[in-house]
Amino acid sequence: MKVKDVTALMDRKFPLRLQEEYDNAGSQLIFMNDEVTGILLALDADEGVLAEAAGNGCNLIITHHPFFFKSVKRIIDTDPRSSLLLRLARERVSLYASHTNLDKVYHGKLAEALGFGGGSLLLESDDTRVDGENGYGTRIDLDAPLLLGDILARVKERLGLDCL
């Protein structure tokens, strides 16, 4: 499978037209015709993420937050972000982001993962060209009150976290 196949799949699953106006989801740095050797998922791209990708033979990093939120004005090798970008390019590691478009498609997944069911959508997206319900946030109705400590314990347990 080529990088362009994965990016096309991501674009179908999480349509870029769903992203907020301020967002810059999608292809960040892409080597379209390279064969995918592995994919690393991360919240943000940084040196640690790139090191982990390299250590695991991954040449595609998919992040939640885009690397480029604003236009690039200059690339200087001593600047940490510039240095990361240059290293990604030198090592031919593609970078793709799925941000507000993913949020709008997966609005109920966290509630489901925590065992609360799908709930109902809080804020519907304005985009009517996409099948299914999409938008932000999920409202759940509890059968009984829960203490904040109990909710936090559930989050840690269900997500396999050591700490919050």
Side-chain angles (χ1 to χ4, degrees):
M1 178 177 276
K2 295 188 181 295
V3 170
K4 67 181 176 185
D5 300 321
V6 176
T7 62
L9 175 70
M10 293 294 292
D11 291 346
R12 281 193 307 277
K13 180 69 178 167
F14 311 107
L16 292 173
R17 66 181 174 271
L18 284 179
Q19 72 181 307
E20 291 294 322
E21 189 175 305
Y22 65 84
D23 203 1
N24 188 34
S27 297
Q28 305 287 294
L29 173 66
I30 300 294
F31 297 98
M32 298 289 275
N33 292 312
D34 285 8
E35 288 290 328
V36 174
T37 59
I39 302 171
L40 180 74
L41 302 177
L43 186 61
D44 293 295
D46 61 21
E47 287 289 340
V49 167
L50 180 54
E52 185 174 346
N56 287 291
C58 300
N59 68 338
L60 174 59
I61 299 172
I62 298 175
T63 62
H64 184 56
H65 296 130
F67 187 78
F68 301 112
F69 264 119
K70 301 174 187 170
S71 62
V72 176
K73 304 238 188 251
R74 64 193 62 80
I75 298 174
I76 302 170
D77 67 345
T78 56
D79 170 68
R81 287 186 52 78
S82 294
S83 176
L84 178 61
L85 179 61
L86 292 168
R87 187 169 165 215
L88 286 162
R90 187 172 49 252
E91 296 181 20
R92 295 191 69 82
V93 175
S94 293
L95 184 58
Y96 183 94
S98 214
H99 190 219
T100 56
N101 52 325
L102 179 139
D103 290 341
K104 288 180 179 180
V105 172
Y106 277 175
H107 57 84
K109 294 296 183 188
L110 182 57
E112 290 175 15
L114 296 177
F116 291 120
S120 60
L121 186 62
L122 282 179
L123 180 62
E124 192 169 343
S125 174
D126 293 338
D127 194 324
T128 58
R129 299 169 291 171
V130 178
D131 292 335
E133 192 176 61
N134 57 73
Y136 287 117
T138 300
R139 178 178 181 260
I140 58 169
D141 293 315
L142 299 174
D143 295 330
L146 283 176
L147 296 173
L148 178 59
D150 294 337
I151 294 171
L152 295 176
R154 180 184 286 214
V155 169
K156 283 176 63 174
E157 174 195 337
R158 296 285 177 112
L159 300 182
L161 303 173
D162 294 327
C163 62
L164 290 175

